[in-house]
Amino acid sequence: MGRPLKFNIFRYNPEDPASVPHMESFHLEETDAMTLYIALNRIREEQDPTLMFDFMCRAGICGSCAMMINGRPDLACHTKTKALPAEINLMPLPVFKLIGDLSVDTGTWFRNMNERVRSYIHTDKVFDPNADEERMSNELADEIYELERCIECGCCVAACGKANMVPNFMGATAFNRVARFMMDPRDQRKTDDYFEIVATDDGIFGCLGLLGCEDVCPKDIPLQDQLGMLRRKMGWASVRHLFDKILPGGDAKKK
Amino acid sequence: MMSDQTAVAQVQPVRTEAYLDFLQMLSGVALVMFMWAHMILVASVNLDLGGGRVMNWIAHFFEATYMAQIGGPMIALVMLAHFVLAARKLPFKAREQKEMWRHSVRLNHLDTWLWVIQAVTAFIILIMGCIHMWTVLTDLPITAQKSGARIQGGWWMLFYIFLLPMIELHVGIGAYRIGVKWGWIKRSNRQFFHGLENKITLIFITIGVITLFTFYVLVKPM
Ligand code: HEM
Ligand code: SF4
Ligand code: SF4
Ligand code: FES
C-alpha cells in the first residue's frame, strides 16, 4: 500500500463572482512512479471535475504545467510524488495572470517578452531557396541549441524576486533569448541594437543576481552565465561609449 | 519638437541606467576594499597586545599625510553615492516590499535571503556608519588609548559588536553578488565562491571580535 498523500491546492475562479481564493485539501494513495501530473488528473477525474490546471505533453517539453510545488516553481509532469513529503502544497505561479486554480496565462507574457527582445534573426540578406544552406560549426550550433532549449514554462520568472516586485522586469528567460541571438552569426544586430533592448533597469541592469532563476530552471539552462555575460558586455559597451565621447579623437558613432 | 526627440532617441540608446549600474558596482568594490583595509589597520592594535604602538603609528601616518582628514570624508561621500545608487534597486513602494517579502518566504532560497539581508543591513550601516565616522573624525587624532576608553565606556562596545556583523555580512554578500552579476562567478565556480564568501566573512568577524576584545580588556585607556 502506498503512502497516503494530502494535497493542499489553491482554488479560485476569477470568472465566478461567488468564488473566493482558498486552499482545498484532497487525499490520494500514492502509486508507483506517480507524478503530480498523474495525481492531479486522478483528483480531477475521481474527486472534483472543476479543478483547473494545464497540461499538454506530460514529458517536460511544452512548459504548460509549471506551478508552485511546496513553494518552489517546477514542472508538475516531471515531479515525482516520491521526491516530496506526504503533504504537498500546490499554488499557481505568481507574476502571471491567473486563469483559475493552478492555471495561469504564461502565453501572453511570453508573447510580450518575445516581441520586446525581437526574438527572430534580423538580417537584410534575401533568402534564396535554391542556394545551399549557410554553414555553421557544430560547436556553435550546440552552444546555440543549449540556450534554445527554453520551454517558456515561466519557472525562472516565478522564482525571480525582481519579477515579483516589478511586473515589467524582463526576466532571465528574456536574457537567455537575447544571448542566443547574440551568438548567432546570421543575426546582423550589433551591440548597440541589443543595448537598446536589454540595457535598462527593467532589463539586465535591474537584475539583482539572486539566481532564483538559475536554481529552479527545470531544463537546467545556464541562465547565470547568460546574465553575467550580458551585464558585462552591456556595461563595457557603455563605458567604451563614454570614453569614445570624452577622449579626443574618439567617435562614438563609428560603431 | 516631439518628433525631433524621438529621432534623437532612435540614433543613440539611453545609457544612463548602464552608467549608474556600473558606478554602483565601482562604489561597491571601492567600499569592500576600504572595509577590508580598515579592518586590517584597526586590528593592528592586536599586534602588541593592546599596547597601541603599531596602531598609533599607523594612525599618525594617515593623519600626518592628511589621508585621514581627506580620505575620511571621501569615504563618507563614496558611501553616500553608493547608498543613492544601490537604493535605486530597493523596493520603496509598500506593494513591492510586500511582494518581495512574500516571495522570499515562499521560495525560501538562500541567495534570495542573502539579498534581503543586504537590503536590511544597508540601512543599519547607513545610520551607524555615519555615527561612527562623525565620532572618530571630529575627535582626531586617532589613538588606541582614546578608542579603548570609548569602547570601555560600555555603550560603544555594544554599538560595535552589533555593527561588526552587519558590515561584514553586507560586504561579503556584496562582493559575492558583484561577482555573480558581472559574470566573474559562473555556474562552474559558484559553489567555490559561495564558500569563499562565507569563510572571508567569518574570518573578518573573528578578527573584529578579537580586536574589540583587545580594546575592551587589554588597551590601557588614557
Ligand atoms: C550607507 C549605507 C549603505 C547602504 C544603504 C547600502 C545599500 C546597498 C544595497 C541596497 C545594495 C544592494 C544593491 C543591489 O542589489 O543591486 C548594496 C550593495 C552593495 N553594498 Fe552597500 N550599502 C551601504 C553601505 C555599504 C558599505 C559601507 C559597503 C562596503 C563597505 C557596501 C558594499 C556593498 C557592495 C559591495 C554591494 C554590492 C554591489 C552591487 O551589487 O553592485 N555598502 N548596498
Ligand atoms: S529559462 Fe528555464 S525556467 Fe525559464 S522559461 Fe525557459 S525553461 Fe522555463
Ligand atoms: S538573477 Fe536576475 S533574473 Fe535571475 S532571479 Fe535573480 S534578479 Fe531574477
Ligand atoms: S505537461 Fe508539458 S512540460 Fe509538463
Side-chain angles (χ1 to χ4, degrees):
Chain A
M1 194 187 129
R3 278 192 304 169
L5 297 178
K6 182 177 179 199
F7 295 88
N8 304 315
I9 299 178
F10 177 84
R11 301 300 305 270
Y12 177 51
N13 181 0
E15 300 283 298
D16 174 6
S19 168
V20 276
H22 64 284
M23 300 299 285
E24 188 174 345
S25 297
F26 297 91
H27 297 268
L28 270 188
E29 189 189 316
E30 192 170 39
T31 51
D32 256 2
M34 184 187 242
T35 62
L36 286 179
Y37 164 80
I38 295 171
L40 283 168
N41 274 294
R42 267 187 55 195
I43 291 174
R44 179 155 65 183
E45 261 165 42
E46 300 164 10
Q47 304 185 24
D48 185 346
T50 67
L51 181 63
M52 288 184 266
F53 56 88
D54 296 322
F55 283 97
M56 289 278 279
C57 70
R58 50 124 187 84
I61 299 166
C62 72
S64 339
C65 66
M67 56 185 68
M68 301 298 272
I69 303 168
N70 286 341
R72 204 188 134 95
D74 207 341
L75 300 178
C77 71
H78 85 169
T79 301
K80 296 242 164 66
T81 52
K82 213 164 60 192
L84 298 169
E87 184 158 352
I88 299 165
N89 295 318
L90 300 178
M91 303 276 293
L93 290 187
V95 184
F96 300 99
K97 182 166 177 275
L98 183 73
I99 295 174
D101 300 341
L102 299 175
S103 168
V104 294
D105 177 8
T106 48
T108 306
W109 193 98
F110 273 93
R111 186 191 166 91
N112 180 29
M113 181 279 279
N114 279 308
E115 282 171 3
R116 258 170 109 182
V117 307
R118 289 170 232 153
S119 174
Y120 52 91
I121 296 210
H122 290 55
T123 179
D124 46 24
K125 279 196 201 147
V126 180
F127 179 65
D128 174 1
N130 298 316
D132 280 352
E133 264 184 75
E134 267 182 74
R135 291 187 182 264
M136 182 190 285
S137 79
N138 257 337
E139 292 75 41
L140 181 59
D142 277 349
E143 271 177 58
I144 292 177
Y145 180 66
E146 176 72 359
L147 307 190
E148 186 86 317
R149 292 183 304 114
C150 171
I151 57 174
E152 305 200 339
C153 63
C155 287
C156 55
V157 180
C160 173
K162 183 71 173 214
N164 273 272
M165 281 194 282
V166 180
N168 207 30
F169 183 61
M170 287 181 130
T173 175
F175 304 147
N176 177 64
R177 193 58 57 93
V178 172
R180 175 246 175 278
F181 284 102
M182 284 172 84
M183 235 186 242
D184 197 318
R186 294 167 297 180
D187 197 314
Q188 295 171 337
R189 279 181 282 184
K190 301 255 180 321
T191 302
D192 263 6
D193 301 318
Y194 293 114
F195 193 96
E196 210 174 340
I197 293 172
V198 290
T200 67
D201 280 342
D202 285 336
I204 190 63
F205 292 120
C207 166
L208 301 170
L210 314 182
L211 298 184
C213 52
E214 162 90 3
D215 292 338
V216 302
C217 173
K219 303 312 278 184
D220 211 19
I221 294 177
L223 296 173
Q224 174 180 2
D225 295 352
Q226 312 319 315
L227 301 174
M229 179 279 292
L230 262 190
R231 196 185 216 108
R232 210 166 57 212
K233 245 196 180 129
M234 295 304 149
W236 282 123
S238 63
V239 172
R240 220 174 315 122
H241 173 86
L242 187 66
F243 281 173
D244 278 351
K245 221 161 70 170
I246 56 180
L247 293 181
D251 182 5
K253 294 213 177 62
K254 258 195 314 236
K255 282 190 283 14
Chain B
M1 223 32 233
M2 189 67 187
S3 58
D4 278 5
Q5 283 177 359
T6 318
V8 171
Q10 274 167 358
V11 175
Q12 281 292 323
V14 177
R15 297 181 192 268
T16 322
E17 293 170 5
Y19 293 147
L20 293 179
D21 194 66
F22 192 77
L23 282 176
Q24 181 192 327
M25 185 266 285
L26 284 188
S27 69
V29 171
L31 287 171
V32 170
M33 294 301 153
F34 169 74
M35 286 316 298
W36 286 342
H38 176 281
M39 177 59 86
I40 290 167
L41 295 179
V42 176
S44 66
V45 75
N46 297 312
L47 289 180
D48 56 356
L49 297 177
R53 282 185 304 265
V54 187
M55 179 177 154
N56 288 347
W57 183 84
I58 293 175
H60 176 73
F61 169 78
F62 276 93
E63 278 147 29
T65 52
Y66 288 93
M67 274 157 80
Q69 292 89 329
I70 297 170
M74 289 265 288
I75 290 293
L77 277 181
V78 174
M79 204 170 110
L80 192 67
H82 169 79
F83 168 63
V84 172
L85 291 169
R88 294 175 66 252
K89 309 288 169 75
L90 286 178
F92 277 95
K93 291 185 191 132
R95 190 196 66 78
E96 294 172 352
Q97 291 167 352
K98 214 169 96 193
E99 288 298 334
M100 189 62 198
W101 184 252
R102 264 219 317 241
H103 168 74
S104 309
V105 172
R106 184 173 55 207
L107 194 64
N108 200 10
H109 165 256
L110 180 60
D111 280 29
T112 302
W113 278 125
L114 290 183
W115 183 84
V116 174
I117 292 177
Q118 222 190 354
V120 172
T121 51
F123 283 90
I124 299 173
I125 300 174
L126 175 66
I127 295 164
M128 296 182 76
C130 289
I131 296 175
H132 162 75
M133 284 192 293
W134 185 268
T135 313
V136 173
L137 292 176
T138 54
D139 189 20
L140 291 175
I142 297 171
T143 69
Q145 287 69 29
K146 254 165 50 188
S147 303
R150 208 181 288 133
I151 288 169
Q152 286 165 24
W155 288 110
W156 282 105
M157 181 68 183
L158 281 181
F159 180 94
Y160 285 126
I161 206 82
F162 179 71
L163 181 57
L164 169 69
M166 298 297 129
I167 300 250
E168 295 308 337
L169 280 171
H170 189 89
V171 168
I173 299 169
Y176 164 75
R177 288 199 24 261
I178 285 183
V180 167
K181 291 203 288 191
W182 290 85
W184 294 300
I185 298 179
K186 296 198 163 53
R187 174 181 275 193
S188 52
N189 58 19
R190 176 173 167 208
Q191 284 311 318
F192 169 78
F193 278 104
H194 216 299
L196 188 69
E197 174 227 322
N198 288 341
K199 278 184 213 120
I200 292 179
T201 303
L202 264 180
I203 289 172
F204 274 100
I205 290 181
T206 311
I207 299 178
V209 169
I210 293 173
T211 306
L212 280 174
F213 172 84
T214 304
F215 275 121
Y216 196 63
V217 177
L218 298 180
V219 170
K220 304 261 177 309
M222 276 195 309

